[in-house]
Amino acid sequence: MPEGLENLHVAIIMDGNGRWAKKRGMPRVLGHKAGGKTLKNIITYAAENYLKALSIFAFSAENWLRPKEEVSFLMDLLDEYIINEWSSITDNNIKFLVSGNVNLIPEKTRNSLLKLIDDTKNNTGLMLNMALSYSGQEEILECVKKIAHKVNSGELSVDDISKETIIEHLYNKELPEIDLLIRTSGEQRISNFMLWRLSYAELYFTDVLWPDFTSDEFNKAIIEYNKRVRRFGKTDEQIKS
Ligand code: FPP
């Protein structure tokens, strides 16, 4: 594994499950099943290699519009994932977090998600942020509403609103800015993922479909990231000095 992962927040848009299945003449849902296995491997790899945070786009707010059978398959997969991976998550010192509108997740699954969040809240290893029923615009909208309520009630003055105030009201305020966004399957879009925290992220796109994404592919993305010069708006000379 390349060096310097301890402080990195990597986000992944796990795309291409449907196409992976179609190529094999299989139903789309089997692509998701294969994608679930890939996810498990990548999480273990990230935890073992001391990545600071991993945000994964597991289900978008827009994904509710997919065919009913596909949505219900994905919810069952999520349920299965939590049950099967519970001990691996706790044993690996992973802090499990969820971003998104969890109220829309079926109650039984929601309760296990909340229990896993609670059981791992003191863990100090990888922060695993699972985006579920998630929309980046909704996250910002909710944040604005919460801040507006505080202003309304006199708890906060408009002039005191800062970037920190916004971060304080996003999902999981402890998550740092994203350093690297990986998207599989050849699509080159952000798709409403973690808009605030992606501000200065390096973007890495690969044609590999998510079920085929291995730890070697993950390493390739990190090696590419390590070659990038992150200027944050400054000049090359300022960065070097
Ligand atoms: C995008 O592929 C993938 C998703 C919408 C779901 C991601 C889910 C997993 C990786 C499985 C693990 C999930 C959980 C909930 C633990 P796509 O279906 O859009 O692929 P396509 O663009 O080829 O059709």
Side-chain angles (χ1 to χ4, degrees):
M1 176 47 112
E3 281 176 26
L5 269 85
E6 305 75 22
N7 291 314
L8 283 194
H9 181 183
V10 177
I12 309 184
I13 301 181
M14 311 180 285
D15 202 3
N17 294 346
R19 276 162 285 166
W20 183 91
K22 196 169 170 205
K23 260 175 52 181
R24 288 163 176 75
M26 295 172 169
R28 288 179 57 77
V29 291
L30 291 189
H32 293 316
K33 203 173 162 77
K37 285 197 191 123
T38 300
L39 175 61
K40 179 174 133 72
N41 294 338
I42 293 296
I43 291 171
T44 309
Y45 189 69
E48 282 172 354
N49 288 285
Y50 305 106
L51 193 74
K52 186 179 182 98
L54 180 67
S55 285
I56 43 162
F57 210 172
F59 194 85
S60 75
E62 295 77 19
N63 285 156
W64 291 114
L65 300 171
R66 288 198 174 194
K68 229 172 70 193
E69 304 72 46
E70 185 170 340
V71 169
S72 109
F73 188 92
L74 279 167
M75 288 302 129
D76 288 348
L77 202 59
L78 175 60
D79 230 10
E80 221 177 89
Y81 176 83
I82 302 165
I83 295 166
N84 294 342
E85 295 308 304
W86 195 289
S87 54
S88 155
I89 288 175
T90 49
D91 293 352
N92 280 304
N93 194 23
I94 293 174
K95 181 170 184 167
F96 184 77
L97 304 165
V98 170
S99 291
N101 186 355
V102 281
N103 292 329
L104 296 178
I105 306 280
E107 191 181 359
K108 184 169 146 266
T109 313
R110 181 171 68 237
N111 289 340
S112 20
L113 285 169
L114 296 175
K115 172 130 191 0
L116 186 54
I117 291 170
D118 193 56
D119 271 17
T120 61
K121 65 175 188 278
N122 295 322
N123 286 357
T124 53
L126 175 75
M127 283 192 256
L128 173 62
N129 174 41
M130 195 181 270
L132 288 168
S133 191
Y134 176 84
S135 146
Q137 289 180 341
E138 263 177 36
E139 177 175 29
I140 293 174
L141 180 66
E142 287 308 311
C143 163
V144 169
K145 282 189 187 168
K146 284 182 222 153
I147 295 172
H149 278 301
K150 288 191 179 169
V151 170
N152 236 352
S153 68
E155 196 183 321
L156 187 67
S157 90
V158 170
D159 291 335
D160 286 339
I161 299 174
S162 62
K163 281 190 196 168
E164 286 67 36
T165 320
I166 297 197
I167 293 164
E168 191 76 20
H169 293 85
L170 293 173
Y171 298 127
N172 303 309
K173 60 180 175 195
E174 69 264 52
L175 281 174
E177 294 266 313
I178 293 166
D179 299 294
L180 169 67
L181 171 73
I182 300 173
R183 183 171 190 150
T184 56
S185 91
E187 308 290 349
Q188 303 196 354
R189 287 189 291 276
I190 292 176
S191 295
N192 206 4
F193 195 36
M194 304 194 69
L195 299 177
W196 179 274
R197 291 187 176 94
L198 279 174
S199 302
Y200 274 101
E202 294 295 327
L203 309 179
Y204 177 87
F205 301 108
T206 168
D207 287 339
V208 173
L209 302 174
W210 176 251
D212 293 329
F213 192 81
T214 55
S215 48
D216 278 351
E217 293 296 336
F218 193 54
N219 282 346
K220 273 194 216 166
I222 303 285
I223 290 167
E224 168 65 28
Y225 169 83
N226 282 339
K227 285 189 207 154
R228 306 259 178 108
V229 181
R230 303 189 76 199
R231 286 191 290 271
F232 299 97
K234 297 182 182 167
T235 64
D236 258 345
E237 288 66 33
Q238 286 174 305
I239 299 296
K240 280 174 201 147
S241 65

